[in-house]
Amino acid sequence: MQDIVVNADVAAVFDEIADLLEVQGANGFRVRAYRNAAQMLGEIGRSVQSIVERGEDLDALPGIGPDLAAKIGEIVGTGSCALLEQLRAQLPPAITELLRIPGIGPKRARALHQALGIRSLQDLHRAAKEGRLRTVHGFGPKTQQLVLEATVARLLAPRRFKLPLAVQVSDALLADLAAAPGVLQAQAAGSLRRLRETVGDLDLVVAVEHSSAVMERFTAAAEVRSVLAKGGTRASIVLANGLQVDLRAVPPASFGAALLYFTGSKAHNIALRQCARGAGLKLNEYGLFRGDRCIAGETEASVYRALGLPFIEPELREDRGEIDAALAQRLPVLVQRVDLRGDLHAHTCASDGRDTLEAMAEAARASGLHYLAITDHSPRLALVHGLDAGRLAQQIDRIDELNARLDGFVLLKGIEVDILEDGKLDLPDDILRRLDLVVGAIHHRFDLPRQRQTDRLLRAMDHPCFSILAHPTGRLIDERPGCDIDLSRVIRKARERGCFLELNAHPARLDLNDVACRMTKDEGVLVSIASDAHSTLELDNLRYGIGQARRGWLEPRDVLNTLSLDAVCPLLAATMGRTSCERTVAARLPAPQIEHAAGGA
Ligand code: DGT
Ligand code: CA
Ligand code: CA
């Protein structure tokens, strides 16, 4: 098997370099260059390994100069990076784990290392437990307690991997397995196929003529750190990045049954097996059996069919009512990426995005969308150059000019306005009123108690200009828990106000989560699946949002941005206290369509 270096591996090297440079107190620009490159690598669809192998120019990638290009080449070519090794020799590498603890940034990590010799998460945990953190400048008893809790949580939690990395690794491994002699089919199963937001390990299934050669190839790959198990039909390896991969090889006649079994979830499998037993049949990873006779197993659909069920999409297989729904022929027809007509949350270089209005519009159009809402940050986020009323007014004019030139595509004028601690919005009403939509979000005081946090959101949603609540809980997967809010009250308020909740598609957020999506749908509130793109590349994040939406049983009709522009505009206008849509759209659409849409609102 050929060495596979996926983008995420290179990104991990750059992230670690950035972390170590930061702890060393290096120049901020230098740190940011590595961070941005790492982020970009996570976003682009093309593998850098293939770019290097084809001899194409890495400098053509956004934010990659000759120096970073050389480093990517080095990592792809040798699997390591001299600069990283050098930095690791200067600082204990495990020190970067400290940065994952909320409240500990590079400066504090350095202080802890210098004052107490802390080198790792375990060291930090011990020091917090023994009350030694308080001797370090800037650490009070409260911080010490928070650090203690956070280290406990982190040390106990099994390591899970976010979807983008898992998908990249899985795609690369599958491509290689599919090319192996004797392999007829290769597919990912497990939580990855169910598109869970994080995965514990990868589960791959191959259909083979002869299994032994594929196991050799799989376990002999260079990026394998250790081989946990290896036999004729199964193997488990751990990759250098810590990700475990289980491989199962089965004969073609069992491929569907094996895929079904290893896709899970375990709870779905158990429920399905009960169905089989009820019908006097036996289901396992080799097939569906009546006595000794196999009656289905080559495809998943054949197994479901033989059980009297329609095909159940992997995202639904969590034993959350999908089998009953299937029996009643009431399975949802899940939303797909192609159903999305627009995107209602994106940034430009006016705040913390990387690309211009023009570039964002062009990229959105190229990805098949018809409209994109520009929603840069508001002034409270001064660090990211949030727009004040004056700069927002300029952006509004610029969007109007650009829309006049764009054909068949519309930029909507919006803002991602901060919801202040008291629930007020971070910009004056008169400028908000000029927008097509207002996306509100919390970016500070995540720690308010439940009642106050919920009241804060409800008050914001009562503002006469409020369209969509962005990333409603504010969670960052594996980094920051969501705010403590009463989501049912928030959803009911959205229904009462006629406004919407966002499913933020960034793979580190995926906020709303699957269960919350389903609650929102059940209350009849539409969900905006939004990229929150900070660059043209991040528009592709919509696919992770779609995955989460599907896990939440959402159908096209449950999703705000599956609506055409002329259908969505009156709904947005209504959230802004207007009865008809604004100039932006009026300028773009033939008159009859507007009248029709406005009349229907
Ligand atoms: P993960 O890896 O923690 O993200 O979650 P999964 O769902 O990928 O779980 P994993 O890798 O332990 O197992 C893959 C699938 O294999 C799982 O979804 C269902 C099936 N499976 C594993 N253990 C059992 C079991 O004890 N009973 C049944 N019925 N199925 C199992
Ligand atoms: Ca798994
Ligand atoms: Ca597994």
Side-chain angles (χ1 to χ4, degrees):
M1 186 181 223
Q2 186 204 7
D3 290 14
I4 297 169
V5 179
V6 300
N7 292 4
D9 295 330
V10 185
V13 171
F14 283 178
D15 262 330
E16 191 178 343
I17 290 177
D19 285 346
L20 289 169
L21 284 173
E22 244 185 324
V23 177
Q24 282 194 343
N27 177 309
F29 285 108
R30 193 162 168 226
V31 173
R32 213 162 314 128
Y34 283 103
R35 270 275 182 257
N36 289 343
Q39 196 193 346
M40 181 278 297
L41 288 166
E43 294 161 11
I44 56 170
R46 288 197 58 199
S47 123
V48 284
Q49 184 174 38
S50 74
I51 297 178
V52 171
E53 280 169 4
R54 292 205 189 118
E56 292 171 30
D57 256 351
L58 287 163
D59 318 35
L61 293 172
I64 301 295
D67 181 48
L68 286 172
K71 291 220 165 46
I72 296 176
E74 179 192 358
I75 298 163
V76 169
T78 68
S80 63
C81 172
L83 173 64
L84 178 61
E85 297 313 320
Q86 207 181 313
L87 289 167
R88 280 176 172 170
Q90 290 162 6
L91 274 172
I95 202 158
T96 59
E97 293 172 2
L98 306 190
L99 304 178
R100 310 282 171 267
I101 298 295
I104 298 198
K107 279 209 192 82
R108 283 186 157 181
R110 186 165 65 233
L112 289 167
H113 179 56
Q114 281 166 354
L116 302 176
I118 286 174
R119 303 167 61 86
S120 67
L121 202 55
Q122 273 89 351
D123 289 351
L124 179 64
H125 174 66
R126 218 170 300 127
K129 206 164 130 193
E130 292 164 4
R132 285 185 285 127
L133 292 191
R134 295 173 55 183
T135 62
V136 182
H137 179 69
F139 285 85
K142 200 173 155 206
T143 318
Q144 175 163 281
Q145 183 59 29
L146 288 175
V147 168
L148 181 61
E149 286 164 16
T151 54
V152 170
R154 200 147 259 279
L155 288 169
L156 286 181
R159 175 144 189 229
R160 295 185 66 84
F161 294 78
K162 290 190 191 103
L163 262 185
L165 176 127
V167 169
Q168 284 179 25
V169 173
S170 164
D171 285 351
L173 290 170
L174 287 172
D176 192 76
L177 287 170
V183 171
L184 305 168
Q185 285 190 82
Q187 209 176 318
S191 50
L192 179 79
R193 182 157 178 248
R194 304 198 311 280
L195 295 179
R196 269 193 66 179
E197 57 204 28
T198 60
V199 307
D201 67 9
L202 298 185
D203 304 278
L204 308 181
V205 183
V206 289
V208 287
E209 286 164 337
H210 306 289
S211 63
S212 56
V214 74
M215 292 300 159
E216 283 304 324
R217 186 176 168 115
F218 179 66
T219 52
E223 71 276 13
V224 173
R225 185 204 286 164
S226 56
V227 176
L228 301 177
K230 183 181 150 200
T233 59
R234 71 174 80 189
S236 286
I237 57 173
V238 179
L239 300 175
N241 61 16
L243 180 60
Q244 181 179 324
V245 189
D246 298 338
L247 175 66
R248 216 20 132 82
V250 294
S254 294
F255 186 69
L259 196 57
L260 187 61
Y261 181 89
F262 291 106
T263 296
S265 67
K266 188 172 162 181
H268 178 82
N269 286 353
I270 291 171
L272 213 53
R273 219 181 298 148
Q274 269 163 2
C275 278
R277 214 172 293 134
L281 304 170
K282 199 180 91 194
L283 177 64
N284 60 29
E285 62 263 52
Y286 300 102
L288 182 66
F289 296 85
R290 176 171 285 124
D292 285 342
R293 198 167 67 86
C294 179
I295 61 167
E298 195 175 341
T299 64
E300 284 186 325
S302 73
V303 177
Y304 281 119
R305 203 180 315 120
L307 290 170
L309 297 171
F311 181 80
I312 300 177
E313 300 281 0
E315 296 91 333
L316 296 177
R317 300 181 196 169
E318 299 289 347
D319 193 22
R320 292 179 185 158
E322 71 277 11
I323 292 181
D324 284 343
L327 284 168
Q329 302 293 335
R330 279 211 309 268
L331 281 174
V333 178
L334 299 178
V335 64
Q336 304 176 50
R337 173 61 185 82
V338 293
D339 296 321
L340 297 185
R341 309 275 190 90
D343 181 354
L344 296 171
H345 183 165
H347 296 266
T348 71
C349 49
S351 67
D352 58 348
R354 260 189 284 150
D355 294 304
T356 60
L357 285 174
E358 287 84 352
M360 291 301 286
E362 207 37 65
R365 186 221 296 264
S367 76
L369 301 177
H370 301 298
Y371 55 91
L372 176 72
I374 298 300
T375 56
D376 274 312
H377 288 290
S378 67
R380 204 199 64 81
L381 290 181
L383 261 181
V384 303
H385 317 293
L387 273 57
D388 58 19
R391 288 178 63 217
L392 181 54
Q394 284 171 9
Q395 189 179 62
I396 289 173
D397 292 342
R398 227 173 290 133
I399 293 177
D400 281 337
E401 279 165 36
L402 186 55
N403 273 334
R405 278 185 279 130
L406 288 173
D407 197 21
F409 187 87
V410 171
L411 284 179
L412 295 174
K413 293 166 291 190
I415 187 80
E416 180 179 5
V417 65
D418 252 63
I419 298 174
L420 304 178
E421 190 175 337
D422 59 4
K424 293 205 180 95
L425 302 186
D426 186 31
L427 277 167
D429 294 3
D430 52 351
I431 188 76
L432 293 180
R433 266 197 297 271
R434 293 186 54 198
L435 297 167
D436 296 316
L437 75 164
V438 169
V439 175
I442 284 181
H443 292 110
H444 70 308
R445 292 313 307 266
F446 299 104
D447 59 339
L448 292 182
R450 188 178 179 86
Q451 176 86 30
R452 268 176 68 195
Q453 195 71 282
T454 308
D455 288 345
R456 175 190 190 184
L457 293 181
L458 298 188
R459 173 145 190 227
M461 294 165 86
D462 266 332
H463 189 284
C465 299
F466 193 97
S467 316
I468 300 171
L469 178 61
H471 41 74
T473 77
R475 69 133 174 205
L476 291 175
I477 294 171
D478 280 351
E479 274 175 54
R480 182 173 70 208
C483 294
D484 192 3
I485 55 170
D486 182 342
L487 190 63
S488 317
R489 283 182 68 205
V490 172
I491 295 171
R492 284 200 303 272
K493 171 62 78 179
R495 194 179 53 192
E496 172 194 318
R497 272 282 283 113
C499 61
F500 310 97
L501 300 191
E502 178 182 276
L503 159 51
N504 189 291
H506 194 289
R509 289 193 184 271
L510 293 173
D511 177 14
L512 304 171
N513 70 14
D514 48 3
V515 174
C517 281
R518 199 158 161 198
M519 280 169 67
T520 308
K521 167 197 172 109
D522 289 347
E523 292 287 337
V525 170
L526 298 187
V527 173
S528 164
I529 302 178
S531 71
D532 194 0
H534 284 68
S535 69
T536 54
L537 299 168
E538 280 188 348
L539 289 166
D540 189 46
N541 282 344
L542 285 172
R543 67 189 184 125
Y544 299 111
I546 290 287
Q548 187 80 308
R550 289 167 64 86
R551 291 181 54 79
W553 291 50
L554 298 194
E555 305 187 61
R557 62 172 178 207
D558 303 315
V559 177
L560 180 62
N561 48 321
T562 58
L563 294 174
S564 65
L565 185 65
D566 55 328
V568 87
C569 280
L571 296 181
L572 293 175
T575 66
M576 301 290 289
R578 287 193 290 270
T579 48
S580 66
C581 19
E582 224 240 351
R583 295 167 282 138
T584 304
V585 186
R588 297 306 321 150
L589 295 171
Q593 259 177 305
I594 295 173
E595 277 163 19
H596 169 76

